[in-house]
Amino acid sequence: GEAISTVGGIPTDALNADFSFKLHPHLSAIGEMVDWDAPTGGFLLQGCFAMGRFAGRALLAKHGIRP
């Protein structure tokens, strides 16, 4: 069989569009913390890196900081 990332984690409907928690917007969740399926290897890593970059830029924007 094909190995995939572990299913389960924080439901996407518990997160805002910037990956911050709806109930605790000062905290964020990315990568395999979130309930998503992905093939292992480069695709999984790229998904985690992209989510981290997006969440980081959103955090900077919330505080009026330009990257």
Side-chain angles (χ1 to χ4, degrees):
E2 181 180 322
I4 60 169
S5 65
T6 305
V7 177
I10 299 160
T12 54
D13 61 0
L15 301 173
N16 294 309
D18 64 357
F19 301 116
S20 62
F21 286 91
K22 290 180 179 176
L23 294 177
H24 301 283
H26 60 287
L27 299 173
S28 298
I30 62 165
E32 289 202 71
M33 295 171 66
V34 181
D35 184 14
W36 63 307
D37 295 325
T40 59
F43 295 111
L44 177 59
L45 292 173
Q46 182 58 42
C48 293
F49 297 151
M51 290 173 82
R53 182 176 190 270
F54 183 86
R57 287 179 160 258
L59 180 62
L60 290 174
K62 280 184 185 179
H63 293 282
I65 301 169
R66 295 178 61 122

